PDB file of all heavy atoms in Angstrom:
ATOM      1  N   LEU A 416      21.382 304.531  67.594  1.00 98.00           N
ATOM      2  CA  LEU A 416      20.384 304.457  66.523  1.00 98.00           C
ATOM      3  C   LEU A 416      20.308 305.764  65.744  1.00 98.00           C
ATOM      4  O   LEU A 416      20.302 305.772  64.515  1.00 98.00           O
ATOM      5  CB  LEU A 416      18.981 304.177  67.092  1.00 98.00           C
ATOM      6  CG  LEU A 416      18.762 302.963  67.963  1.00 98.00           C
ATOM      7  CD1 LEU A 416      17.285 302.844  68.282  1.00 98.00           C
ATOM      8  CD2 LEU A 416      19.243 301.724  67.259  1.00 98.00           C
ATOM      9  N   ILE A 417      20.213 306.862  66.496  1.00 98.00           N
ATOM     10  CA  ILE A 417      19.984 308.132  65.794  1.00 98.00           C
ATOM     11  C   ILE A 417      21.268 308.644  65.147  1.00 98.00           C
ATOM     12  O   ILE A 417      21.251 309.147  64.031  1.00 98.00           O
ATOM     13  CB  ILE A 417      19.315 309.183  66.712  1.00 98.00           C
ATOM     14  CG1 ILE A 417      20.046 309.329  68.055  1.00 98.00           C
ATOM     15  CG2 ILE A 417      17.862 308.814  66.954  1.00 98.00           C
ATOM     16  CD1 ILE A 417      19.447 310.392  68.966  1.00 98.00           C
ATOM     17  N   VAL A 418      22.394 308.494  65.833  1.00 98.00           N
ATOM     18  CA  VAL A 418      23.653 309.004  65.276  1.00 98.00           C
ATOM     19  C   VAL A 418      24.038 308.234  64.010  1.00 98.00           C
ATOM     20  O   VAL A 418      24.256 308.819  62.949  1.00 98.00           O
ATOM     21  CB  VAL A 418      24.788 308.912  66.319  1.00 98.00           C
ATOM     22  CG1 VAL A 418      26.154 309.095  65.653  1.00 98.00           C
ATOM     23  CG2 VAL A 418      24.582 309.955  67.412  1.00 98.00           C
ATOM     24  N   PHE A 419      24.083 306.934  64.119  1.00 98.00           N
ATOM     25  CA  PHE A 419      24.566 306.162  62.966  1.00 98.00           C
ATOM     26  C   PHE A 419      23.470 305.925  61.930  1.00 98.00           C
ATOM     27  O   PHE A 419      23.755 305.741  60.751  1.00 98.00           O
ATOM     28  CB  PHE A 419      25.259 304.879  63.426  1.00 98.00           C
ATOM     29  CG  PHE A 419      26.516 305.192  64.189  1.00 98.00           C
ATOM     30  CD1 PHE A 419      26.559 305.115  65.576  1.00 98.00           C
ATOM     31  CD2 PHE A 419      27.657 305.633  63.522  1.00 98.00           C
ATOM     32  CE1 PHE A 419      27.701 305.446  66.290  1.00 98.00           C
ATOM     33  CE2 PHE A 419      28.811 305.977  64.229  1.00 98.00           C
ATOM     34  CZ  PHE A 419      28.832 305.882  65.611  1.00 98.00           C
ATOM     35  N   GLY A 420      22.215 305.972  62.368  1.00 98.00           N
ATOM     36  CA  GLY A 420      21.124 305.938  61.397  1.00 98.00           C
ATOM     37  C   GLY A 420      21.215 307.153  60.486  1.00 98.00           C
ATOM     38  O   GLY A 420      21.182 307.045  59.260  1.00 98.00           O
ATOM     39  N   ALA A 421      21.366 308.323  61.095  1.00 98.00           N
ATOM     40  CA  ALA A 421      21.439 309.572  60.319  1.00 98.00           C
ATOM     41  C   ALA A 421      22.651 309.559  59.396  1.00 98.00           C
ATOM     42  O   ALA A 421      22.562 309.943  58.225  1.00 98.00           O
ATOM     43  CB  ALA A 421      21.493 310.769  61.259  1.00 98.00           C
ATOM     44  N   ARG A 422      23.776 309.116  59.892  1.00 98.00           N
ATOM     45  CA  ARG A 422      24.989 309.120  59.067  1.00 98.00           C
ATOM     46  C   ARG A 422      24.856 308.168  57.878  1.00 98.00           C
ATOM     47  O   ARG A 422      25.256 308.487  56.764  1.00 98.00           O
ATOM     48  CB  ARG A 422      26.206 308.756  59.929  1.00 98.00           C
ATOM     49  CG  ARG A 422      26.531 309.827  60.965  1.00 98.00           C
ATOM     50  CD  ARG A 422      27.659 309.406  61.871  1.00 98.00           C
ATOM     51  NE  ARG A 422      28.948 309.510  61.220  1.00 98.00           N
ATOM     52  CZ  ARG A 422      29.733 310.587  61.268  1.00 98.00           C
ATOM     53  NH1 ARG A 422      29.359 311.662  61.948  1.00 98.00           N
ATOM     54  NH2 ARG A 422      30.881 310.605  60.655  1.00 98.00           N
ATOM     55  N   ALA A 423      24.305 306.994  58.141  1.00 98.00           N
ATOM     56  CA  ALA A 423      24.117 306.033  57.042  1.00 98.00           C
ATOM     57  C   ALA A 423      23.147 306.595  56.003  1.00 98.00           C
ATOM     58  O   ALA A 423      23.366 306.474  54.795  1.00 98.00           O
ATOM     59  CB  ALA A 423      23.606 304.700  57.588  1.00 98.00           C
ATOM     60  N   GLY A 424      22.084 307.232  56.487  1.00 98.00           N
ATOM     61  CA  GLY A 424      21.087 307.799  55.577  1.00 98.00           C
ATOM     62  C   GLY A 424      21.689 308.866  54.680  1.00 98.00           C
ATOM     63  O   GLY A 424      21.468 308.882  53.473  1.00 98.00           O
ATOM     64  N   ARG A 425      22.455 309.753  55.285  1.00 98.00           N
ATOM     65  CA  ARG A 425      23.079 310.824  54.506  1.00 98.00           C
ATOM     66  C   ARG A 425      24.048 310.264  53.470  1.00 98.00           C
ATOM     67  O   ARG A 425      24.052 310.663  52.309  1.00 98.00           O
ATOM     68  CB  ARG A 425      23.837 311.782  55.441  1.00 98.00           C
ATOM     69  CG  ARG A 425      22.928 312.804  56.107  1.00 98.00           C
ATOM     70  CD  ARG A 425      23.738 313.923  56.743  1.00 98.00           C
ATOM     71  NE  ARG A 425      24.403 313.504  57.964  1.00 98.00           N
ATOM     72  CZ  ARG A 425      23.853 313.565  59.174  1.00 98.00           C
ATOM     73  NH1 ARG A 425      22.633 314.037  59.318  1.00 98.00           N
ATOM     74  NH2 ARG A 425      24.510 313.162  60.233  1.00 98.00           N
ATOM     75  N   HIS A 426      24.867 309.325  53.926  1.00 98.00           N
ATOM     76  CA  HIS A 426      25.873 308.763  53.034  1.00 98.00           C
ATOM     77  C   HIS A 426      25.217 308.021  51.868  1.00 98.00           C
ATOM     78  O   HIS A 426      25.581 308.205  50.704  1.00 98.00           O
ATOM     79  CB  HIS A 426      26.793 307.826  53.828  1.00 98.00           C
ATOM     80  CG  HIS A 426      28.006 307.378  53.070  1.00 98.00           C
ATOM     81  ND1 HIS A 426      28.387 307.932  51.876  1.00 98.00           N
ATOM     82  CD2 HIS A 426      28.940 306.440  53.350  1.00 98.00           C
ATOM     83  CE1 HIS A 426      29.490 307.351  51.441  1.00 98.00           C
ATOM     84  NE2 HIS A 426      29.844 306.433  52.323  1.00 98.00           N
ATOM     85  N   ALA A 427      24.206 307.226  52.189  1.00 98.00           N
ATOM     86  CA  ALA A 427      23.546 306.455  51.134  1.00 98.00           C
ATOM     87  C   ALA A 427      22.874 307.376  50.120  1.00 98.00           C
ATOM     88  O   ALA A 427      22.774 307.050  48.940  1.00 98.00           O
ATOM     89  CB  ALA A 427      22.521 305.501  51.741  1.00 98.00           C
ATOM     90  N   ALA A 428      22.428 308.529  50.595  1.00 98.00           N
ATOM     91  CA  ALA A 428      21.748 309.465  49.689  1.00 98.00           C
ATOM     92  C   ALA A 428      22.738 310.259  48.852  1.00 98.00           C
ATOM     93  O   ALA A 428      22.342 311.089  48.042  1.00 98.00           O
ATOM     94  CB  ALA A 428      20.868 310.412  50.490  1.00 98.00           C
ATOM     95  N   GLY A 429      24.011 310.033  49.085  1.00 96.00           N
ATOM     96  CA  GLY A 429      25.016 310.686  48.249  1.00 96.00           C
ATOM     97  C   GLY A 429      25.561 311.982  48.804  1.00 96.00           C
ATOM     98  O   GLY A 429      26.230 312.738  48.094  1.00 96.00           O
TER      99      GLY A 429
END
Side-chain angles (χ1 to χ4, degrees):
Chain A
L416 304 185
I417 50 178
V418 165
F419 294 103
R422 293 176 76 92
R425 279 194 286 272
H426 190 11

